[in-house]
């Protein structure tokens, strides 16, 4: 069974940094593009970034470009999200998701919560 | 990139059919087949139900179907059941390797 498990969330002050991790199992991790998607409390889903299967290409939503960096370690079946200059509006549950095909996210983690507050 | 437009809520009685619309533009929904639908129950992660406009994800009931006309995609749930009560989100490729979700629709089974 394909499984994704996020970790690394927590409470952080505005302007701070945080690194999220996502451990994959049950599928050939290096064969798939991977994404991070977030959901603010009581709000809808927001796509934030994508990394190619080889890790050589990454793409970001305007809301996080220049502040967040997605990366992966295929030798450890792991995905990461480095978040800097955090803002109150970055408070959300962060999900990692596997790309079945062209943005169809067929495997999701349970999410890890990030709260940006003074 | 603004969120795709979905109705805030849709309701129906058990056994009925309902449809949820997802309206975008000629630069996203209207331009690509990469339109997906997700079901999210409270406190749970989203679940992929439809991808590439009308392909059902593995294990998903054939009561769920997807379609698209112009800049609007639609999800139809036939034979509505209590377990279908959830939030539903559409998503679309927008080009330049970016994606956008819909605003979400709460489905209530009366």
């Amino acid at each position: 069974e394909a499984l994704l498990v996020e970790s690394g969330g927590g409470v952080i002050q505005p302007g701070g940094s945080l690194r999220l991790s996502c451990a994959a199992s049950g599928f050939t991790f290096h064969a798939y593009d991977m994404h991070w998607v977030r959901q603010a409390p009581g709000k809808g889903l927001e796509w934030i970034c994508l990394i190619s299967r080889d890790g050589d290409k990454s793409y970001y939503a305007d809301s996080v470009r220049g502040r967040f960096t997605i990366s992966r370690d295929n030798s450890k079946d792991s995905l990461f999200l480095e978040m800097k200059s955090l803002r109150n509006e970055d408070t959300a549950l962060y999900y990692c998701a596997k790309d079945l095909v062209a943005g169809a996210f067929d495997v999701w983690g349970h999410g890890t919560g990030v709260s940006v507050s003074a | 990139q603004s969120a795709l437009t979905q109705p805030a809520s849709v309701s129906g009685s058990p056994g009925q059919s309902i449809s949820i619309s997802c309206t975008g533009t000629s630069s996203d929904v209207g331009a690509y087949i990469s339109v997906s639908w997700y079901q999210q129950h409270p406190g749970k992660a989203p679940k992929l139900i439809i991808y590439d406009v009308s392909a059902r994800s593995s294990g998903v009931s054939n009561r769920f179907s997807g379609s698209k006309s112009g800049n609007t995609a639609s999800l139809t749930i036939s034979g509505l059941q209590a377990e279908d009560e959830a939030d539903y989100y559409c998503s679309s490729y927008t080009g330049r390797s970016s994606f956008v979700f819909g605003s979400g629709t709460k489905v209530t089974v009366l």
Side-chain angles (χ1 to χ4, degrees), chain A residues 18-32:
Chain A
L18 208 56
R19 189 190 198 215
L20 307 184
S21 300
C22 170
S25 61
F27 65 97
T28 308
F29 181 71
H30 63 80
Y32 296 93

Side-chain angles (χ1 to χ4, degrees), chain A:
Chain A
E1 179 194 3
L3 197 61
L4 295 170
V5 179
E6 303 93 337
S7 61
V11 180
I12 189 79
Q13 291 189 336
S17 300
L18 208 56
R19 189 190 198 215
L20 307 184
S21 300
C22 170
S25 61
F27 65 97
T28 308
F29 181 71
H30 63 80
Y32 296 93
D33 295 348
M34 295 293 296
H35 303 254
W36 286 95
V37 175
R38 68 184 180 184
Q39 187 168 32
K43 302 297 184 182
L45 302 171
E46 179 188 12
W47 174 83
I48 55 174
C49 56
L50 149 71
I51 189 166
S52 62
R53 59 201 68 185
D54 292 333
D56 58 342
K57 301 184 199 63
S58 57
Y59 305 91
Y60 300 88
D62 290 343
S63 57
V64 305
R65 187 177 294 114
R67 302 186 300 120
F68 289 12
T69 302
I70 187 173
S71 62
R72 66 192 294 165
D73 184 342
N74 285 343
S75 70
K76 296 181 179 178
D77 291 348
S78 294
L79 179 72
F80 306 100
L81 183 66
E82 191 79 41
M83 304 186 294
K84 297 181 179 180
S85 302
L86 284 162
R87 306 167 179 168
N88 291 335
E89 56 265 35
D90 295 320
T91 293
L93 189 62
Y94 285 73
Y95 294 101
C96 59
K98 168 183 167 287
D99 191 312
L100 172 66
V101 57
F105 313 129
D106 67 328
V107 181
W108 296 68
H110 54 81
T112 187
V114 173
S115 178
V116 184
S117 172

Side-chain angles (χ1 to χ4, degrees), chain A residues 45, chain B residues 6-8 18 20-21 37-41 47 49 63-64 75 77 80-90 102-109:
Chain A
L45 302 171
Chain B
Q6 297 181 232
I18 61 169
I20 303 168
S21 61
W37 289 92
Y38 300 85
Q39 177 191 63
Q40 186 179 34
H41 287 106
K47 172 188 174 183
I49 50 176
R63 298 186 299 103
F64 293 88
L75 173 71
I77 309 175
L80 198 62
Q81 299 179 1
E83 68 209 46
D84 300 331
E85 187 161 292
D87 293 327
Y88 290 81
Y89 295 91
C90 61
S103 49
T105 298
K106 181 177 181 61
V107 168
T108 301
V109 181

Side-chain angles (χ1 to χ4, degrees), chain B residues 44-108:
Chain B
K44 301 293 187 182
K47 172 188 174 183
L48 177 67
I49 50 176
I50 296 287
Y51 66 98
D52 285 354
V53 175
S54 59
R56 265 187 302 276
S57 184
S58 177
V60 171
S61 169
N62 59 10
R63 298 186 299 103
F64 293 88
S65 61
S67 62
K68 187 181 82 165
S69 177
N71 299 335
T72 298
S74 297
L75 173 71
T76 298
I77 309 175
S78 58
L80 198 62
Q81 299 179 1
E83 68 209 46
D84 300 331
E85 187 161 292
D87 293 327
Y88 290 81
Y89 295 91
C90 61
S91 73
S92 174
Y93 181 60
T94 68
R96 297 170 292 147
S97 296
S98 295
F99 303 87
V100 63
F101 282 96
S103 49
T105 298
K106 181 177 181 61
V107 168
T108 301

